[in-house]
Amino acid sequence: MMSQEQNDLITRVGPGTAAGEVLRRYWQPAALSEELVGARPVVPVRLLGEDLVLFRDNEGELGLISRQCPHRGADMAFGRCEDNGLRCPFHGWHFDRNGQCVEQPGEPEGSQMYKNIKAKSYPVVEKNGMIFAYMGPGLPPALPNFDCFAAPDTHVFAFKGLWECNWLQAMEVGIDPVHASFLHRFLQDEDPSEGYGKQFRDKAADTDIPMTQVLREYPRPEINVEETDYGMRIISLRHLDNGRTHVRITNQVFPEAICIPMSNEMTITQWHVPIDDENCYWYSMFTSFGNPVNKSLMREQRLQEHRLPDYAPLKNKQNNYGYDPDEQEKLTYTGMGLDINVHDQWAVESMGSIQDRTQEHLGKSDVAISRYRRMLMKAIKAVEENNDDELPMWNGALNVEEIRGPLSIDAIGDTDTWQDAWKEADTKRRAACEWPAEL
């Protein structure tokens, strides 16, 4: 359990809040590139409790500025994307991608007032179908050389989904290895050959055993947590009955991302990005170490579960997440269909908009969650004391661009030598990769 004061400290993200100031020191996913496709590349963005508007100018460059016009507060999401910037329809004030006002056509001839008008703006970068914003002080840190960034665009598929809950409980489900054996339990095993683009549908590495069977039959993993330069490595060991051990390597990427294996050839890097205190988006980059990603198929699969333009899930609390008691008896542990995103969504939204951690009771299997919260509290203290260089993966002695991976994989090896099995499996996967994927 924790106090209400502590819970507020680690969950609230608006300007000036403790956790919000930590998150603002890292690049945050702000939108998908596909949201700016079309004749008018302008999209409203609500991020860390701030209302912004993202646009692409005539030169193809991106701008992220305040949604409220500095003149009279009109909504710039309805701005005219013209003259290499964004123009407010109210009085024609024109802003470039850095938020600088460059024209006030209604002011007296020769007025220089525009030179002193600047909308709030944030730096943005675009990587493999995702647009990131830096909302913190000073110059932004470098991006790490993660696989999802190092891979060519052909091998990465980006998507997002809306969850109606606080970012922290959304992230914490991804660093909980035990829940997969229950929340994502399938009572029948699908044909793994039909599982492209779906998590836990592969066979366990170098076996004919479906991953769904491994998770179902071995629900008590031994969990080890190691702190790393990017956050934490979580090692889950499921000791099989034949002297072999299934090893699953997942990661917490500070401050609010995870990197996990999706299949034998694909990983998922997923950020849990606060819209505000009570809503978040998950942003995922699916990275292939094998063939180029079939983006059209994966997008089609996702759009069967989500609506546009807000990427909200079709199954939600209003329709009980599609719950079917007959299915719960015969097919899935939840009775909520075969998409595990829906299972996670139900779990984290059912906790309430902001989980009341004053009432929780963590067990030994929650070791990664406990370690992460301590890491976050340490980061909050570092920011409060103006010691940003002590933050994980920031601008201190560490060269951020040298951070690679993180290694995320499922492997099976002899129980006595499991420490080597996952490293050897990753080395083999990277050696066969079509793009440079050295760690």
Side-chain angles (χ1 to χ4, degrees):
M1 293 185 187
M2 63 172 56
S3 69
Q4 186 61 52
E5 181 181 12
Q6 290 173 318
N7 198 35
D8 289 342
L9 188 71
I10 62 176
T11 56
R12 304 290 181 174
V13 296
T17 59
E21 288 303 306
V22 171
L23 268 59
R24 280 169 172 77
R25 281 155 170 79
Y26 294 83
W27 288 100
Q28 298 291 328
L32 298 175
S33 298
E34 69 175 46
E35 295 181 73
L36 292 179
V37 173
R40 184 176 177 274
V42 182
V43 63
V45 170
R46 183 162 170 80
L47 182 58
L48 297 177
E50 297 187 36
D51 289 310
L52 308 165
V53 60
L54 176 70
F55 65 96
R56 196 184 297 277
D57 66 18
N58 301 106
E59 295 179 347
E61 299 295 328
L62 294 166
L64 181 65
I65 67 175
S66 172
R67 187 168 176 175
Q68 267 54 60
C69 178
H71 182 201
R72 300 267 299 279
D75 188 351
M76 292 293 291
F78 292 89
R80 297 175 60 86
C81 196
E82 61 185 23
D83 299 330
N84 215 36
L86 199 62
R87 189 181 294 276
C88 180
F90 197 3
H91 294 92
W93 286 23
H94 187 229
F95 299 87
D96 66 16
R97 59 179 175 264
N98 297 313
Q100 178 62 51
C101 184
V102 294
E103 186 185 12
Q104 295 169 310
E107 288 298 301
E109 190 74 31
S111 171
Q112 300 293 300
M113 177 185 172
Y114 69 90
K115 294 182 178 180
N116 298 318
I117 304 296
K118 192 174 189 300
K120 180 187 290 184
S121 67
Y122 294 116
V124 287
V125 296
E126 191 168 13
K127 286 282 189 179
N128 284 344
M130 199 175 290
I131 297 165
F132 293 80
Y134 177 73
M135 301 172 67
L139 295 175
L143 278 171
N145 197 22
F146 288 153
D147 292 321
C148 61
F149 298 146
D153 177 77
T154 52
H155 286 65
V156 179
F157 169 69
F159 202 76
K160 73 178 187 179
L162 175 67
W163 283 353
E164 296 180 4
C165 69
N166 183 260
W167 70 277
L168 183 57
Q169 64 216 56
M171 194 282 296
E172 288 182 340
V173 75
I175 56 173
D176 168 11
V178 175
H179 87 278
S181 286
F182 298 92
L183 186 66
H184 305 317
R185 179 176 296 188
F186 291 77
L187 307 182
Q188 301 174 20
D189 299 310
E190 297 178 298
D191 182 351
S193 66
E194 299 176 359
Y196 184 82
K198 302 174 184 178
Q199 194 175 359
F200 299 134
R201 303 305 208 279
D202 248 350
K203 294 178 180 178
D206 299 322
T207 74
D208 290 324
I209 307 173
M211 271 297 298
T212 48
Q213 181 181 346
V214 172
L215 295 173
R216 183 175 64 243
E217 294 184 359
Y218 301 94
R220 292 186 174 89
E222 175 188 340
I223 303 170
N224 299 305
V225 177
E226 302 173 353
E227 292 196 16
T228 66
D229 49 13
Y230 56 80
M232 298 189 309
R233 178 182 296 117
I234 304 162
I235 305 172
S236 305
L237 306 174
R238 287 176 166 85
H239 300 297
L240 311 182
D241 297 332
N242 57 359
R244 308 272 280 171
T245 290
H246 177 268
V247 187
R248 181 170 174 82
I249 306 296
T250 59
N251 305 275
Q252 197 290 312
V253 181
F254 200 83
E256 85 268 42
I258 60 174
C259 186
I260 60 178
M262 175 180 174
S263 66
N264 291 331
E265 72 170 28
M266 197 175 293
T267 64
I268 306 173
T269 307
Q270 184 174 87
W271 291 260
H272 302 87
V273 184
I275 299 170
D276 49 36
D277 290 342
E278 297 185 351
N279 300 276
C280 65
Y281 275 112
W282 56 259
Y283 280 84
S284 287
M285 282 181 157
F286 301 80
T287 305
S288 174
F289 291 82
N291 296 321
V293 175
N294 187 335
K295 297 189 184 189
S296 60
L297 174 58
M298 292 192 71
R299 191 169 190 273
E300 178 184 340
Q301 290 173 346
R302 291 292 93 219
L303 290 179
Q304 290 175 2
E305 304 288 344
H306 295 81
R307 73 182 185 210
L308 298 179
D310 60 357
Y311 296 83
L314 299 179
K315 292 181 179 179
N316 50 60
K317 63 182 69 175
Q318 281 71 39
N319 55 29
N320 291 325
Y321 305 93
Y323 173 71
D324 180 347
D326 291 334
E327 177 196 311
Q328 189 176 38
E329 180 181 355
K330 301 173 183 177
L331 184 59
T332 66
Y333 207 68
T334 62
M336 297 176 187
L338 302 178
D339 182 7
I340 71 168
N341 281 308
V342 178
H343 308 165
D344 287 333
Q345 177 197 352
W346 163 80
V348 298
E349 289 185 349
S350 68
M351 299 173 184
S353 296
I354 302 177
Q355 180 192 354
D356 182 1
R357 292 175 178 79
T358 68
Q359 300 299 314
E360 72 176 358
H361 298 80
L362 297 183
K364 186 175 181 180
S365 61
D366 298 308
V367 57
I369 292 172
S370 298
R371 289 279 288 273
Y372 170 77
R373 292 179 188 176
R374 290 197 293 272
M375 186 178 294
L376 179 57
M377 294 291 284
K378 183 178 179 181
I380 287 172
K381 184 177 180 181
V383 169
E384 289 176 343
E385 296 178 350
N386 295 315
N387 292 326
D388 287 5
D389 284 353
E390 295 183 5
L391 295 173
M393 201 172 49
W394 221 75
N395 280 339
L398 175 70
N399 185 347
V400 179
E401 293 170 294
E402 292 181 359
I403 302 178
R404 301 178 181 273
L407 195 160
S408 307
I409 201 164
D410 286 294
I412 289 182
D414 292 337
T415 298
D416 293 336
T417 59
W418 65 261
Q419 295 93 337
D420 299 324
W422 57 277
K423 297 174 185 178
E424 292 171 357
D426 182 71
T427 298
K428 179 180 178 181
R429 178 176 66 179
R430 291 177 186 275
C433 186
E434 295 182 358
W435 48 275
E438 300 89 353
L439 272 181

